[in-house]
Short mmCIF file of all heavy atoms in Angstrom, two decimals:
data_model
loop_
_atom_site.label_atom_id
_atom_site.label_comp_id
_atom_site.label_asym_id
_atom_site.label_seq_id
_atom_site.Cartn_x
_atom_site.Cartn_y
_atom_site.Cartn_z
N ASP A 183 -16.02 35.30 44.35
CA ASP A 183 -15.07 35.52 45.42
C ASP A 183 -13.67 35.01 45.00
O ASP A 183 -13.26 33.91 45.37
CB ASP A 183 -15.56 34.76 46.68
CG ASP A 183 -14.60 34.97 47.85
OD1 ASP A 183 -13.79 35.88 47.80
OD2 ASP A 183 -14.68 34.12 48.79
N THR A 184 -13.00 35.81 44.22
CA THR A 184 -11.64 35.46 43.80
C THR A 184 -10.84 36.78 43.64
O THR A 184 -11.36 37.86 43.95
CB THR A 184 -11.70 34.66 42.46
OG1 THR A 184 -10.36 34.17 42.16
CG2 THR A 184 -12.19 35.50 41.30
N TRP A 188 -4.79 35.65 43.12
CA TRP A 188 -4.95 34.19 43.26
C TRP A 188 -4.89 33.50 41.91
O TRP A 188 -4.18 32.53 41.71
CB TRP A 188 -6.29 33.84 43.97
CG TRP A 188 -6.38 32.38 44.38
CD1 TRP A 188 -6.01 31.86 45.58
CD2 TRP A 188 -6.73 31.26 43.54
NE1 TRP A 188 -6.21 30.49 45.62
CE2 TRP A 188 -6.61 30.10 44.36
CE3 TRP A 188 -7.14 31.15 42.22
CZ2 TRP A 188 -6.88 28.83 43.85
CZ3 TRP A 188 -7.40 29.85 41.73
CH2 TRP A 188 -7.30 28.71 42.54
N ARG A 192 -1.89 30.99 40.88
CA ARG A 192 -2.19 29.54 40.84
C ARG A 192 -2.27 29.04 39.36
O ARG A 192 -2.21 27.83 39.17
CB ARG A 192 -3.51 29.23 41.49
CG ARG A 192 -3.58 29.61 42.95
CD ARG A 192 -2.74 28.68 43.78
NE ARG A 192 -2.79 29.09 45.19
CZ ARG A 192 -3.06 28.25 46.17
NH1 ARG A 192 -3.32 26.97 45.98
NH2 ARG A 192 -3.07 28.71 47.42
N THR A 193 -2.53 29.94 38.39
CA THR A 193 -2.79 29.46 37.02
C THR A 193 -2.04 30.17 35.94
O THR A 193 -1.90 29.65 34.84
CB THR A 193 -4.30 29.57 36.68
OG1 THR A 193 -4.63 30.93 36.48
CG2 THR A 193 -5.21 28.96 37.71
N CYS A 271 -10.04 17.98 26.52
CA CYS A 271 -8.96 18.84 26.13
C CYS A 271 -7.90 18.13 25.26
O CYS A 271 -7.10 18.82 24.60
CB CYS A 271 -8.23 19.41 27.38
SG CYS A 271 -9.38 20.26 28.49
N ARG A 310 -16.04 29.46 42.11
CA ARG A 310 -14.73 30.06 41.80
C ARG A 310 -13.67 29.00 41.46
O ARG A 310 -12.65 29.35 40.86
CB ARG A 310 -14.26 30.89 42.99
CG ARG A 310 -13.96 30.11 44.22
CD ARG A 310 -13.47 30.93 45.34
NE ARG A 310 -13.07 30.16 46.53
CZ ARG A 310 -12.53 30.67 47.60
NH1 ARG A 310 -12.30 31.96 47.69
NH2 ARG A 310 -12.21 29.89 48.62
N SER A 311 -13.91 27.75 41.91
CA SER A 311 -12.88 26.73 41.67
C SER A 311 -12.83 26.29 40.23
O SER A 311 -11.86 25.63 39.81
CB SER A 311 -13.12 25.53 42.61
OG SER A 311 -14.27 24.81 42.24
N VAL A 314 -13.01 30.43 36.82
CA VAL A 314 -11.89 31.27 36.50
C VAL A 314 -10.94 30.65 35.47
O VAL A 314 -10.12 31.28 34.89
CB VAL A 314 -11.03 31.66 37.75
CG1 VAL A 314 -11.96 32.30 38.81
CG2 VAL A 314 -10.29 30.45 38.34
N LEU A 315 -11.12 29.32 35.27
CA LEU A 315 -10.12 28.55 34.49
C LEU A 315 -10.34 28.49 32.94
O LEU A 315 -9.39 28.32 32.24
CB LEU A 315 -10.09 27.08 35.03
CG LEU A 315 -9.79 26.87 36.51
CD1 LEU A 315 -9.91 25.40 36.84
CD2 LEU A 315 -8.38 27.41 36.84
N PHE A 316 -11.63 28.64 32.58
CA PHE A 316 -11.92 28.30 31.18
C PHE A 316 -12.22 29.53 30.34
O PHE A 316 -12.69 30.56 30.83
CB PHE A 316 -13.09 27.33 31.11
CG PHE A 316 -12.79 26.00 31.78
CD1 PHE A 316 -13.21 25.73 33.05
CD2 PHE A 316 -12.03 25.05 31.13
CE1 PHE A 316 -12.93 24.53 33.70
CE2 PHE A 316 -11.72 23.82 31.76
CZ PHE A 316 -12.17 23.57 33.04
N LEU A 351 -13.12 15.04 36.51
CA LEU A 351 -13.50 16.21 35.70
C LEU A 351 -14.70 15.79 34.90
O LEU A 351 -14.58 14.87 34.00
CB LEU A 351 -12.32 16.58 34.83
CG LEU A 351 -12.48 17.75 33.84
CD1 LEU A 351 -13.11 18.98 34.52
CD2 LEU A 351 -11.16 18.18 33.27
N MET A 376 -15.11 19.41 39.25
CA MET A 376 -13.71 19.04 39.03
C MET A 376 -12.99 18.90 40.39
O MET A 376 -13.18 19.68 41.28
CB MET A 376 -12.99 20.10 38.25
CG MET A 376 -11.54 19.77 37.87
SD MET A 376 -10.79 20.96 36.79
CE MET A 376 -10.57 22.33 37.91
N GLY A 378 -9.60 19.48 41.23
CA GLY A 378 -8.46 20.15 40.54
C GLY A 378 -7.15 19.46 40.83
O GLY A 378 -6.34 19.30 39.89
N GLN A 379 -6.93 19.02 42.06
CA GLN A 379 -5.61 18.46 42.40
C GLN A 379 -5.38 17.12 41.73
O GLN A 379 -4.28 16.79 41.30
CB GLN A 379 -5.46 18.37 43.88
CG GLN A 379 -5.37 19.81 44.45
CD GLN A 379 -4.93 19.83 45.90
OE1 GLN A 379 -4.63 18.85 46.52
NE2 GLN A 379 -4.89 21.07 46.45
N VAL A 381 -6.69 16.20 38.89
CA VAL A 381 -6.42 16.50 37.47
C VAL A 381 -4.98 17.05 37.28
O VAL A 381 -4.26 16.66 36.35
CB VAL A 381 -7.45 17.50 36.90
CG1 VAL A 381 -7.20 17.81 35.43
CG2 VAL A 381 -8.88 16.93 37.05
N PHE A 382 -4.60 17.91 38.15
CA PHE A 382 -3.30 18.53 38.13
C PHE A 382 -2.20 17.47 38.11
O PHE A 382 -1.30 17.40 37.26
CB PHE A 382 -3.11 19.50 39.29
CG PHE A 382 -1.89 20.37 39.24
CD1 PHE A 382 -2.04 21.76 39.05
CD2 PHE A 382 -0.62 19.88 39.36
CE1 PHE A 382 -0.92 22.58 39.01
CE2 PHE A 382 0.50 20.72 39.31
CZ PHE A 382 0.34 22.06 39.16
N HIS A 413 -0.76 21.48 26.26
CA HIS A 413 -2.11 21.98 26.51
C HIS A 413 -2.09 23.16 27.48
O HIS A 413 -1.36 23.10 28.54
CB HIS A 413 -2.96 20.80 27.06
CG HIS A 413 -4.34 21.24 27.55
ND1 HIS A 413 -5.15 22.07 26.79
CD2 HIS A 413 -4.98 20.95 28.71
CE1 HIS A 413 -6.25 22.27 27.49
NE2 HIS A 413 -6.19 21.59 28.64
N ALA A 415 -3.66 24.80 30.17
CA ALA A 415 -4.68 24.78 31.22
C ALA A 415 -4.20 25.62 32.42
O ALA A 415 -5.04 26.34 33.02
CB ALA A 415 -4.94 23.37 31.67
N ASN A 416 -2.90 25.55 32.71
CA ASN A 416 -2.41 26.17 33.89
C ASN A 416 -0.87 26.31 33.71
O ASN A 416 -0.24 25.31 33.43
CB ASN A 416 -2.72 25.27 35.09
CG ASN A 416 -2.27 25.84 36.44
OD1 ASN A 416 -1.31 26.56 36.51
ND2 ASN A 416 -3.04 25.55 37.49
N ARG A 418 1.37 26.65 35.84
CA ARG A 418 2.14 25.79 36.80
C ARG A 418 2.24 24.37 36.30
O ARG A 418 3.26 23.72 36.49
CB ARG A 418 1.40 25.78 38.17
CG ARG A 418 1.75 27.01 39.01
CD ARG A 418 0.71 27.23 40.12
NE ARG A 418 0.64 26.03 41.01
CZ ARG A 418 -0.47 25.56 41.57
NH1 ARG A 418 -1.65 26.12 41.29
NH2 ARG A 418 -0.45 24.53 42.36
N ILE A 419 1.18 23.86 35.63
CA ILE A 419 1.29 22.54 35.06
C ILE A 419 2.35 22.54 33.92
O ILE A 419 3.23 21.64 33.86
CB ILE A 419 -0.10 22.07 34.48
CG1 ILE A 419 -1.10 21.92 35.60
CG2 ILE A 419 0.07 20.76 33.66
CD1 ILE A 419 -2.51 21.53 35.17
N ASN A 443 -8.04 28.37 29.67
CA ASN A 443 -8.08 27.02 29.13
C ASN A 443 -9.26 26.90 28.12
O ASN A 443 -10.39 26.89 28.54
CB ASN A 443 -8.26 26.03 30.31
CG ASN A 443 -8.31 24.57 29.83
OD1 ASN A 443 -8.32 24.31 28.64
ND2 ASN A 443 -8.34 23.63 30.78
N PHE A 473 -3.91 16.78 28.05
CA PHE A 473 -4.63 15.92 28.99
C PHE A 473 -6.02 16.55 29.17
O PHE A 473 -6.23 17.71 28.90
CB PHE A 473 -3.91 15.89 30.37
CG PHE A 473 -3.94 17.24 31.06
CD1 PHE A 473 -4.97 17.58 31.95
CD2 PHE A 473 -3.03 18.22 30.70
CE1 PHE A 473 -5.01 18.83 32.51
CE2 PHE A 473 -3.08 19.48 31.27
CZ PHE A 473 -4.09 19.77 32.19
O1 UT7 B 697 -7.91 20.85 30.91
C1 UT7 B 697 -8.11 20.28 32.17
C2 UT7 B 697 -8.82 21.29 33.06
N1 UT7 B 697 -8.51 21.23 34.44
C3 UT7 B 697 -7.33 21.58 34.96
O2 UT7 B 697 -6.34 21.80 34.28
C4 UT7 B 697 -7.28 21.71 36.41
C5 UT7 B 697 -5.96 21.26 37.03
N2 UT7 B 697 -5.83 21.77 38.41
C6 UT7 B 697 -5.42 23.05 38.65
O3 UT7 B 697 -5.09 23.79 37.72
C7 UT7 B 697 -5.39 23.49 40.10
O4 UT7 B 697 -5.66 22.39 40.90
C8 UT7 B 697 -6.39 24.63 40.37
C9 UT7 B 697 -5.98 25.92 39.66
C10 UT7 B 697 -7.78 24.23 39.89
C11 UT7 B 697 -6.46 24.93 41.93
O5 UT7 B 697 -5.16 25.21 42.33
P1 UT7 B 697 -4.59 24.52 43.68
O6 UT7 B 697 -3.31 25.08 43.96
O7 UT7 B 697 -4.73 22.99 43.47
O8 UT7 B 697 -5.64 25.05 44.77
P2 UT7 B 697 -6.65 24.23 45.73
O9 UT7 B 697 -7.72 23.57 44.93
O10 UT7 B 697 -5.81 23.40 46.62
O11 UT7 B 697 -7.29 25.42 46.52
C12 UT7 B 697 -6.47 26.17 47.44
C13 UT7 B 697 -7.36 27.21 48.10
C14 UT7 B 697 -8.67 26.66 48.69
O12 UT7 B 697 -8.93 27.34 49.85
P3 UT7 B 697 -8.58 26.65 51.28
O13 UT7 B 697 -9.37 25.40 51.31
O14 UT7 B 697 -7.09 26.43 51.26
O15 UT7 B 697 -9.05 27.69 52.26
C15 UT7 B 697 -9.69 27.05 47.65
O16 UT7 B 697 -10.95 27.19 48.23
O17 UT7 B 697 -7.75 28.20 47.10
C16 UT7 B 697 -9.15 28.36 47.18
N3 UT7 B 697 -9.65 28.67 45.79
C17 UT7 B 697 -9.69 29.94 45.36
N4 UT7 B 697 -9.41 31.14 45.96
C18 UT7 B 697 -9.59 32.26 45.23
C19 UT7 B 697 -10.02 27.86 44.81
N5 UT7 B 697 -10.33 28.58 43.76
C20 UT7 B 697 -10.18 29.86 44.04
C21 UT7 B 697 -10.28 31.09 43.37
N6 UT7 B 697 -10.00 32.22 43.97
N7 UT7 B 697 -10.69 31.12 42.05
#
Side-chain angles (χ1 to χ4, degrees):
D183 181 18
T184 188
W188 191 95
R192 300 288 178 129
T193 72
C271 304
R310 67 178 184 174
S311 69
V314 304
L315 302 175
F316 298 99
L351 179 48
M376 185 174 72
Q379 293 192 1
V381 179
F382 191 112
H413 171 47
N416 182 329
R418 279 163 58 218
I419 295 178
N443 180 353
F473 66 93

